[in-house]
């Protein structure tokens, strides 16, 4: 079944225990998930109806991801990226629902987050290809091959590099943002991804994934000082 398939792939890829090792039934687990989603939406409503709507949308995407999308190439990766980007939109909507959707504003980090997560998910799928193959999951590296998938990841990250320069060219963000984003994040991570592309071992893929995670954290710092 789906649960066994997921657990089997997880154990092959990571060889560690899972949060819920099978003691919960599906109905009970679904009820817990629904309860937390409802609580999150209620808390979001305190910040505004727009925030509550974004929370409900995020919950729906999470449900779709866990039920169907995580085993589909591109769709699952993109869903994770969109969920990451929605964090910034929800925060912006809580402050000012109108300004949250115009430039410059939360749309900028939201787009960055989507691409960052998307690229990282491709690297993680390439690293986890053995487990995905064993359980019949159809990730992008299984559909296209590792090298082609990493090529797509490189192209996406190169597009992200270009987009991170747009706020500087438009005069929206200052020098500190430019230094951190371009010289501390963009160029080093792009160079590392090129190395990963040339030598896609499990270790290199893990290093690339970790570097992208660090880049996300530094990106938040860059936006705070922008």
């Amino acid at each position: 079944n789906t649960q066994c398939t997921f657990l089997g792939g997880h154990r092959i890829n990571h060889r560690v225990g899972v949060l819920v090792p099978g003691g919960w039934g599906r109905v009970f687990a679904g009820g817990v998930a629904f309860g937390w989603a409802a609580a999150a939406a209620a808390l979001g409503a305190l910040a505004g109806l727009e925030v509550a709507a974004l929370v409900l949308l995020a919950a729906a995407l999470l449900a779709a991801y866990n039920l169907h999308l995580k085993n589909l190439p591109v769709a699952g990766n993109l869903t994770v990226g969109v969920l990451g980007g929605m964090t910034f939109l929800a925060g912006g909507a809580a402050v000012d629902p109108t300004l949250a959707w115009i430039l410059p504003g939360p749309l900028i980090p939201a787009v960055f987050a989507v691409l960052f997560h998307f690229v990282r998910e491709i690297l993680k799928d390439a690293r986890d290809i053995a487990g995905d193959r064993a359980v019949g999951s159809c990730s992008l590296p299984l559909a296209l091959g590792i090298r082609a998938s990493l090529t797509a990841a490189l192209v996406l990250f190169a597009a992200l590099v270009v987009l991170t320069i747009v706020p500087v060219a438009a005069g929206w963000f200052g020098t500190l943002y430019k230094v951190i984003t371009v010289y501390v994040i963009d160029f080093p991570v792009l160079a590392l991804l090129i190395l990963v592309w040339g030598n896609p071992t499990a270790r290199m893929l893990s290093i690339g994934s970790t570097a992208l995670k660090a880049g996300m954290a530094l990106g938040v710092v860059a936006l705070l000082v922008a």
Side-chain angles (χ1 to χ4, degrees):
N1 57 34
T2 303
Q3 182 184 27
C4 292
T5 298
F6 170 74
L7 293 178
H10 181 90
R11 287 174 180 138
I12 292 171
N13 291 331
H14 304 287
R15 302 186 185 281
V16 295
V18 294
L19 181 62
V20 183
W24 288 6
R26 289 193 177 190
V27 174
F28 180 74
V32 171
F34 179 83
W36 280 114
L43 290 173
L46 297 177
L49 293 179
E50 294 83 0
V51 178
L54 286 169
V55 170
L56 289 174
L57 177 58
L61 286 174
L62 280 170
Y65 175 81
N66 282 286
L67 291 173
H68 302 291
L69 299 179
K70 66 184 175 186
N71 291 321
L72 297 177
V74 180
N77 303 141
L78 185 58
T79 300
V80 173
V82 170
L83 286 167
M86 286 177 65
T87 303
F88 295 98
L89 294 178
V95 175
D96 190 324
T98 302
L99 296 179
W101 304 99
I102 62 176
L103 296 176
L107 276 175
I108 295 174
V111 171
F112 294 170
V114 171
L115 290 173
F116 247 113
H117 281 283
F118 199 172
V119 172
R120 185 166 182 263
E121 286 296 303
I122 293 174
L123 264 67
K124 288 168 61 181
D125 282 347
R127 180 197 61 193
D128 296 343
I129 193 169
D132 291 339
R133 181 184 291 114
V135 300
S137 178
C138 188
S139 65
L140 190 63
L142 280 172
L144 299 181
I146 289 180
R147 186 57 59 86
S149 298
L150 293 180
T151 300
L154 266 176
V155 171
L156 287 170
F157 194 82
L160 174 60
V161 169
V162 174
L163 287 175
T164 58
I165 299 173
V166 171
V168 178
W172 295 333
F173 298 162
T175 303
L176 271 177
Y177 164 86
K178 177 181 177 181
V179 170
I180 296 174
T181 302
V182 177
Y183 299 110
V184 179
I185 303 173
D186 286 351
F187 290 165
V189 174
L190 182 59
L192 178 58
L193 290 180
I194 292 172
L195 291 176
V196 173
W197 181 89
N199 183 31
T201 63
R203 177 175 174 78
M204 287 297 293
L205 289 165
S206 292
I207 292 173
S209 176
T210 301
L212 286 165
K213 182 185 288 188
M216 293 178 195
L218 287 171
V220 172
V221 174
L223 289 165
L224 289 174
V225 301

